[in-house]
Amino acid sequence: QVHLVESGGGSVQAGGSLRLSCVASGYTYWDYVSNTMAWFRQAPGKKREGVARIYPRTGATDYADSVTGRFTIHQDSAKNTVYLQMNSLKPEDDGMYYCAADASGSNWPWYRVERYNYWGQGTQVTVSS
């Protein structure tokens, strides 16, 4: 069983930065179990949307168009941790941010919630204008 714990959310003014962390536990070999790690976000009344993903084995990444150039996803395999560095934050970045893990090699696109087996509890990000 994979367990994901997010942290790092908070309140920030537009133009500011935050770094979110997601610590994964419950398995021994990070690079050989997790196919994709991703960050999603969900604003009140809206669907959960994919923000960024990383292949732990190679470090390859993908981003939603809305965050490209502002957000960076990266990992520390030694700590079983995935980070989301968020710069130049905008009010539309507001929402609950979730970490997700796909340990089954699903064929769903990375930005679809159906791909992921495991989810964290979320961390709130609030951006004021």
Side-chain angles (χ1 to χ4, degrees), residues 3 11 20 26 35 38 41 48 50 65 78 87 103 117 120 128:
H3 188 54
S11 296
L20 307 183
N35 183 266
R41 66 186 180 190
R48 195 170 294 190
D65 290 343
N87 299 327
N117 314 93
S128 57

Side-chain angles (χ1 to χ4, degrees), residues 38-121:
W39 285 95
F40 281 72
R41 66 186 180 190
Q42 187 168 19
K46 294 188 177 180
K47 292 183 178 179
R48 195 170 294 190
E49 62 173 355
V51 175
R53 71 97 169 250
I54 188 167
Y55 282 117
R57 300 185 188 189
T58 65
T61 57
D62 287 286
Y63 296 91
D65 290 343
S66 59
V67 306
T68 298
R70 300 188 298 120
F71 291 12
T72 303
I73 186 171
H74 60 102
Q75 64 180 350
D76 184 336
S77 296
K79 296 181 179 180
N80 276 11
T81 301
V82 172
Y83 302 95
L84 185 68
Q85 178 65 45
M86 304 187 296
N87 299 327
S88 302
L89 282 161
K90 303 175 180 180
E92 51 263 44
D93 294 319
D94 234 48
M96 186 70 79
Y97 282 69
Y98 297 92
C99 179
D102 160 31
S104 64
S106 169
N107 290 325
W108 285 97
W110 73 265
Y111 48 84
R112 292 289 296 267
V113 298
E114 294 89 343
R115 180 182 181 118
Y116 299 89
N117 314 93
Y118 302 103
W119 293 86
Q121 81 290 347

Side-chain angles (χ1 to χ4, degrees), residues 24-48:
S25 62
Y27 51 83
T28 303
Y29 298 108
W30 170 272
D31 285 357
Y32 299 97
V33 175
S34 182
N35 183 266
T36 293
M37 295 292 296
W39 285 95
F40 281 72
R41 66 186 180 190
Q42 187 168 19
K46 294 188 177 180
K47 292 183 178 179
R48 195 170 294 190

